[in-house]
Amino acid sequence: MQRGKLTFSLLIFSLLPLSLLARPYVLVLSQEDLKDIPSSPATTDVDPTESPPEWDEFGDSDSKPEHELDPGSWRPIFEPDAAATSASNLDPEMEQYYSAVEKMFSAVTNGEVRVVEEAVAEIEELATVKGNSHARSVLGFLYGLGQIKERDKAKAFLYHHFAADGGNLQSKSALAYTYYRQQMYEKAIKLYAELAEVAVNSFLISKDSPVIEPVRIHNGAEENKDVLRKSRGEDDDVFQILEYQAQKGNAGAMFKIGYFYYFGLRGLRRDHAKALVWFSKAAEKGEPRSMELLGEIFARGAGVERNYTKALEWLTLAAKQQLYSAYNGMGYLYVKGYGVQKKNYSKKTGLHACLIWSTGVMHDFLFDMAIPMAKEYFEQAADNEDAGGHYNLGVMHLKGIGVKRDVRLACQYFIVAANAGQPKAFYQLAKMFHMGVGLRKNVAVATGLYKLVAEQGPWNSLSRWALESYLKGDVGKAFLLYSRMAELGYEIAQSNAAWILDKYAERSMCMGESGLCTDSERHQRAHSLWWQASEQGNEHAALLIGDAYYYGRGTERDYERAAEAYMHAKSQSNAQAMFNLGYMHEHGQGLPLDLHLAKRYYDQALEIDAAAKLPVTLALSSLWIRKNYAGSFMVHVIDSLPEVYPRIKGWVENVILEDGNAMILALFVCLLTVLYFREQRRNVVPAAAEVGIRDQHMDHAPPALN
């Protein structure tokens, strides 16, 4: 790709998560979104440390542990071995907080409603009497969900507000999503911008972090067995085969295992120590991707003492093997002046060099030599279609670091990087929309982009813990964790929690103010969760919402709202929704009676999904009869089918298919079959005898006369 020749006539980019069932975010930019901003004069002597702080994207990559990035995180409960915070490091109040939360989850696992109530009472005391912000956050969650507490959105908002003021980021996320749903973008954007910054600070410096989205545990009506099978961690057969190959010396297998441990993928717990061991073994065999991640580990101090010199050495080795993403890490180290002293610039001697190294002042050296080299490394990565290279060049042009400041060119680089799935590029574009720099100010779009980045923050660990619980059969704990994520605005968590409620009923440990939820309460909660998921583009959720209104499940029957939900699902090319809309037009339910529109929707359903051929054929036959024989007996029979079918189905399920009756029916059918064949055999024998007698008479008959 030639830089400077990127066009802006129509720009489409999407962030494609690694999870197969996660939904891409698509943003379309037109020429009107672009602002005509003149490029600033050349600023090759600009110091990045003097740039406005909101654009300091070459800041130190944050290597704080998760419990510091996400205060009040439940990681000490779900990953006690990996948590940096031990009981000895906690003050008594936080010990009490974690003890109460752990007690609540343990009681949910064991189905002990009374113990859950006791744990919630302890959390409430911490929140109300001692003012613990993290306990307030949990209490806000329980009021919002209606778990043990009476469902009260006002109280939930109030507790989250005070928890957010106390520094709880998950409460800030819950508040941001509340504002976002109400289209109060000016309030939502402030919170999402802060959360997105925390998320970006947790990303890697040398390459793109894998976008770990929550796994969708269902594919509609059924459990998503293929995806779940790949998330069983060390118990997965594929992982065990991979581990065997690694132990036999396969460098590629070593890298993959290290990669899974480093990022906590495929159901494995994050373990930097194990990752370091496997990466080191693979690097000894010349595996370049392992070298790059070793450079990342030493640069961030992830499980080891931070060492920029070693980081640069490993990144350089990886780059020499044409792993172009490693150039990004090298460029970063040169921009910051980390690990490049003395060794890489040994020619710089004398008093001037001594002053540089002794005082740490890098101005002359940094911009005379390091910045051009960093730019060269970024260009090498970009020329080989590496998204990180485009992103880093965008930052340099945006800030005027060693190049002429050019906001439009920076925007181009960010869009190319975002198109390749670089999350930091989405963050930059969100800020450009937010501030009106390079792009026309659009708070709604900026908020959506900030939300997208924020959802990749450290609180995303909730999805891993929920999936682990589900795979272990601890459905109640999984439901509670997915519900927490649903409150934070994760669409997949909303649909997962709703599906668990519908699928597992009482096993979901859905609890109201007075014990386990009734069927009606579960339907209402599932309905609310499906509705939130449908608002965020889940067509299956919209379809289920339509069914709920059409059949009156968990809510009052409302054909017009059912049609509205089906329309929403239809806009996302859902064949079932199209069929349902055709049926409603055919019968005038919630939509005008219009046979032509009905046929159009039936035809569209068949175009989208070939499996709809049989129901569409039957529906078109019904439509033909209705059109040509209006008011006839056949039309009345067709109209009565929806009422008759459930009765027949219920009779079959409750009478015929009941265990004892089914066996009796099977024996009766077998008896009839035996009797039928015996009767057939009896009829065949006399017939054969008659034929034999007739043939015998023919043998003795007189010859025919000529």
Side-chain angles (χ1 to χ4, degrees):
M1 173 183 289
Q2 295 182 354
R3 290 181 293 279
K5 293 188 178 180
L6 304 176
T7 60
F8 272 120
S9 57
L10 182 63
L11 302 168
I12 304 177
F13 54 90
S14 62
L15 180 61
L16 300 176
L18 294 184
S19 171
L20 295 177
L21 296 177
R23 300 182 179 282
Y25 185 96
V26 179
L27 177 65
V28 180
L29 297 183
S30 66
Q31 191 68 33
E32 296 179 357
D33 292 314
L34 307 170
K35 291 180 64 176
D36 294 326
I37 297 180
S39 300
S40 301
T43 54
T44 57
D45 57 347
V46 174
D47 185 347
T49 62
E50 297 176 357
S51 302
E54 63 268 21
W55 295 112
D56 188 9
E57 293 312 312
F58 284 126
D60 292 341
S61 183
D62 203 330
S63 61
K64 295 179 181 178
E66 184 178 293
H67 72 276
E68 292 184 22
L69 286 173
D70 182 19
S73 166
W74 294 336
R75 191 180 184 192
I77 296 172
F78 290 96
E79 297 183 35
D81 296 335
T85 303
S86 62
S88 59
N89 296 328
L90 294 173
D91 58 58
E93 188 175 302
M94 287 304 294
E95 284 185 13
Q96 187 178 352
Y97 163 72
Y98 280 117
S99 175
V101 174
E102 187 172 16
K103 181 178 180 180
M104 178 180 70
F105 278 106
S106 297
V108 166
T109 298
N110 298 324
E112 299 170 336
V113 177
R114 183 183 58 79
V115 180
V116 175
E117 293 173 347
E118 292 175 1
V120 171
E122 293 176 15
I123 293 170
E124 186 170 18
E125 181 184 357
L126 272 172
T128 56
V129 178
K130 298 186 178 181
N132 184 284
S133 59
H134 307 310
R136 285 174 172 174
S137 179
V138 176
L139 201 58
F141 161 60
L142 295 174
Y143 270 113
L145 181 62
Q147 189 85 345
I148 297 299
K149 296 293 182 180
E150 180 184 2
R151 192 173 188 185
D152 190 325
K153 292 295 183 182
K155 285 187 177 180
F157 181 87
L158 190 64
Y159 277 114
H160 279 310
H161 176 76
F162 287 119
D165 284 347
N168 188 282
L169 296 184
Q170 293 189 25
S171 279
K172 289 186 179 183
S173 183
L175 290 175
Y177 180 58
T178 299
Y179 291 134
Y180 182 75
R181 288 191 70 194
Q182 299 173 7
Q183 299 182 356
M184 299 170 68
Y185 298 124
E186 291 292 348
K187 291 187 175 182
I189 199 168
K190 294 178 182 179
L191 294 167
Y192 274 133
E194 180 182 347
L195 295 165
E197 183 179 4
V198 175
V200 167
N201 285 338
S202 68
F203 294 163
L204 304 188
I205 60 173
S206 64
K207 66 186 276 92
D208 300 344
S209 304
V211 181
I212 306 170
E213 287 285 343
V215 173
R216 200 178 299 278
I217 62 176
H218 65 95
N219 54 13
E222 299 296 332
E223 189 177 65
N224 203 339
K225 296 184 185 298
D226 291 339
V227 172
L228 294 176
R229 179 181 54 79
K230 297 176 182 178
S231 304
R232 296 188 179 276
E234 295 176 349
D235 294 331
D236 180 27
D237 292 341
V238 175
F239 177 83
Q240 292 174 359
I241 293 172
L242 193 67
E243 188 176 34
Y244 175 78
Q245 292 173 339
Q247 291 170 348
K248 291 295 184 181
N250 186 304
M254 292 175 182
F255 163 74
K256 287 182 180 179
I257 291 180
Y259 190 80
F260 293 159
Y261 277 119
Y262 188 71
F263 293 108
L265 302 177
R266 294 185 71 108
L268 291 172
R269 290 280 179 91
R270 282 181 299 182
D271 192 324
H272 289 163
K274 287 185 178 179
L276 181 63
V277 169
W278 285 112
F279 286 149
S280 299
K281 289 181 178 180
E284 289 175 2
K285 292 181 173 292
E287 213 290 319
R289 295 169 297 177
S290 297
M291 296 175 183
E292 181 187 23
L293 281 169
L294 283 172
E296 178 70 37
I297 287 172
F298 282 107
R300 291 170 61 88
V304 297
E305 183 179 353
R306 180 174 286 180
N307 189 321
Y308 290 117
T309 302
K310 283 188 176 181
L312 184 60
E313 290 174 356
W314 281 117
L315 290 169
T316 303
L317 288 172
K320 285 181 179 179
Q321 297 198 46
Q322 298 184 340
L323 187 64
Y324 297 105
S325 58
Y327 283 112
N328 294 315
M330 295 173 65
Y332 169 85
L333 295 178
Y334 273 86
V335 164
K336 301 298 292 185
Y338 293 155
V340 300
Q341 299 98 327
K342 298 181 182 180
K343 177 178 179 179
N344 297 281
Y345 291 94
S346 57
K347 294 182 181 180
K348 223 172 163 49
T349 58
L351 179 62
H352 178 59
C354 293
L355 287 173
I356 289 176
W357 307 132
S358 62
T359 63
V361 179
M362 296 286 293
H363 291 282
D364 293 341
F365 166 74
L366 184 63
F367 292 98
D368 288 347
M369 305 188 70
I371 292 297
M373 290 199 68
K375 179 174 178 288
E376 181 181 341
Y377 287 140
F378 294 150
E379 287 175 346
Q380 284 183 285
D383 288 342
N384 288 277
E385 301 182 355
D386 184 83
H390 288 288
Y391 168 77
N392 289 325
L393 286 172
V395 173
M396 296 190 80
H397 283 88
L398 178 66
K399 299 180 66 178
I401 302 175
V403 296
K404 181 179 179 181
R405 187 170 187 266
D406 191 332
V407 176
R408 286 180 62 85
L409 184 57
C411 189
Q412 293 178 19
Y413 280 122
F414 291 145
I415 288 174
V416 172
N419 214 6
Q422 225 289 349
K424 287 185 180 180
F426 276 82
Y427 179 60
Q428 287 288 1
L429 290 167
K431 289 198 293 185
M432 297 178 87
F433 273 116
H434 185 190
M435 300 177 186
V437 176
L439 294 168
R440 195 169 301 280
K441 187 171 183 178
N442 190 323
V443 177
V445 172
T447 305
L449 289 171
Y450 277 137
K451 179 179 183 291
L452 180 74
V453 178
E455 288 182 352
Q456 299 169 41
W459 37 88
N460 196 18
S461 294
L462 288 164
S463 65
R464 186 168 63 252
W465 304 331
L467 181 61
E468 287 176 0
S469 300
Y470 182 82
L471 292 173
K472 292 176 182 177
D474 195 343
V475 177
K477 186 182 289 184
F479 167 70
L480 207 57
L481 289 166
Y482 279 131
S483 296
R484 175 63 160 178
M485 290 192 73
E487 183 188 41
L488 307 186
Y490 288 81
E491 178 273 315
I492 295 181
Q494 291 164 353
S495 74
N496 282 350
W499 189 80
I500 287 174
L501 283 172
D502 287 340
K503 176 76 173 178
Y504 291 97
E506 290 187 359
R507 281 188 61 196
S508 67
M509 286 300 289
C510 168
M511 286 178 277
E513 194 176 4
S514 55
L516 294 175
C517 294
T518 63
D519 289 344
S520 176
E521 288 173 332
R522 276 197 305 274
H523 280 307
Q524 289 175 359
R525 289 196 192 181
H527 179 86
S528 176
L529 289 163
W530 285 126
W531 186 261
Q532 292 177 53
S534 71
E535 289 177 344
Q536 300 197 73
N538 186 323
E539 73 276 5
H540 175 71
L543 185 67
L544 289 176
I545 290 294
D547 290 345
Y549 280 120
Y550 187 88
Y551 296 107
R553 296 172 183 165
T555 184
E556 293 183 5
R557 179 172 289 187
D558 189 329
Y559 289 138
E560 291 183 359
R561 297 196 70 174
E564 181 183 346
Y566 289 145
M567 280 289 186
H568 186 59
K570 173 256 179 186
S571 67
Q572 300 183 47
S573 301
N574 186 284
Q576 181 65 59
M578 294 174 183
F579 183 90
N580 293 353
L581 288 169
Y583 183 88
M584 296 178 78
H585 270 301
E586 180 183 351
H587 294 84
Q589 296 176 331
L591 292 172
L593 181 64
D594 191 325
L595 301 185
H596 294 288
L597 270 178
K599 183 178 186 305
R600 183 181 302 175
Y601 278 123
Y602 288 144
D603 290 339
Q604 287 179 354
L606 185 57
E607 290 175 7
I608 295 295
D609 188 357
K613 185 174 183 179
L614 178 58
V616 167
T617 301
L618 294 174
L620 290 175
S621 301
S622 167
L623 205 62
W624 183 85
I625 293 172
R626 191 178 302 280
K627 182 178 180 180
N628 293 280
Y629 299 96
S632 67
F633 172 74
M634 286 296 297
V635 173
H636 290 301
V637 170
I638 293 171
D639 289 340
S640 67
L641 287 177
E643 297 180 3
V644 174
Y645 174 74
R647 298 175 186 173
I648 297 174
K649 181 182 178 183
W651 182 78
V652 170
E653 291 178 349
N654 298 326
V655 179
I656 296 181
L657 296 183
E658 197 272 332
D659 290 342
N661 294 345
M663 184 174 293
I664 294 172
L665 180 64
L667 292 173
F668 182 68
V669 170
C670 291
L671 179 61
L672 289 179
T673 304
V674 171
L675 292 174
Y676 171 77
F677 282 114
R678 286 188 64 184
E679 186 64 25
Q680 286 292 102
R681 188 173 181 182
R682 288 177 180 176
N683 293 336
V684 168
V685 172
E690 183 179 348
V691 171
I693 294 171
R694 189 185 308 119
D695 291 343
Q696 187 176 6
H697 286 304
M698 290 296 295
D699 292 339
H700 296 284
L705 297 174
N706 294 330

